[in-house]
Amino acid sequence: MSNPPDRSRLIIPALAPVYGSGYVTVETILRVVAGLLLVTHGYGKILDPMGAVGMVEGLGFYPGVFWSPLLAATEFFGGILVAIGLFTRPAAFAATIVLLVTVYFHGVVQAQGLAGAEKSILWTAIFLFFAFRGGNAQSVDARLNRVF
């Protein structure tokens, strides 16, 4: 998927094989870890899908009985999909939307500014990357030879 780095441009040319072969594994680790952390974040919500009705309505998402279970499913099942690399792009895109709301929630609603929103900003960037990149060679999407 990526060309090996140009040895002549590397400060330490001997690292070219490491950079050339390791990026797929490192990208997979990032995808799996991000997906599984999203699953753990959504686990409580999937056990009580109506538990966030008040919160989502407090953010202006009506009716909460629609948005609360959707939030739970996006975090829990979307995290599983990203972790295994199945329908990676749409699952990561949905997670990106959820995380943009958390940026707004922490940064504006709770008036925490950057200090409160920075973790959500980082998570948004990670899922945005996978929304555009999709899964890689080490994903179910690749094994099925189909991508969204």
Side-chain angles (χ1 to χ4, degrees):
M1 292 234 200
S2 175
N3 296 329
D6 181 359
R7 293 178 70 90
S8 67
R9 296 185 61 218
L10 292 174
I11 293 172
I12 304 173
L15 291 176
V18 174
Y19 297 145
S21 64
Y23 82 94
V24 172
T25 301
V26 171
E27 182 182 58
T28 301
I29 291 168
L30 179 62
R31 180 175 45 78
V32 170
V33 168
L36 291 178
L37 286 173
L38 191 63
V39 169
T40 61
H41 193 71
Y43 180 72
K45 291 179 184 81
I46 207 70
L47 293 178
D48 183 14
M50 295 301 169
V53 168
M55 180 195 65
V56 296
E57 286 184 349
L59 290 170
F61 292 92
Y62 292 95
V65 294
F66 171 76
W67 291 106
S68 182
L70 188 61
L71 171 63
T74 299
E75 289 183 358
F76 186 77
F77 297 112
I80 292 170
L81 291 172
V82 169
I84 66 173
L86 178 62
F87 305 122
T88 308
R89 284 186 174 107
F93 179 75
T96 299
I97 300 301
V98 166
L99 289 160
L100 284 170
V101 173
T102 68
V103 170
Y104 172 77
F105 175 74
H106 290 289
V108 178
V109 173
Q110 291 193 332
Q112 297 172 344
L114 180 60
E118 80 178 303
K119 190 170 24 169
S120 292
I121 293 168
L122 177 60
W123 283 108
T124 301
I126 291 169
F127 281 98
L128 182 63
F129 171 81
F130 289 110
F132 279 84
R133 172 70 169 92
N136 59 15
Q138 297 174 348
S139 67
V140 174
D141 288 335
R143 299 287 186 261
L144 296 174
N145 199 27
R146 304 290 292 177
V147 293
F148 196 91

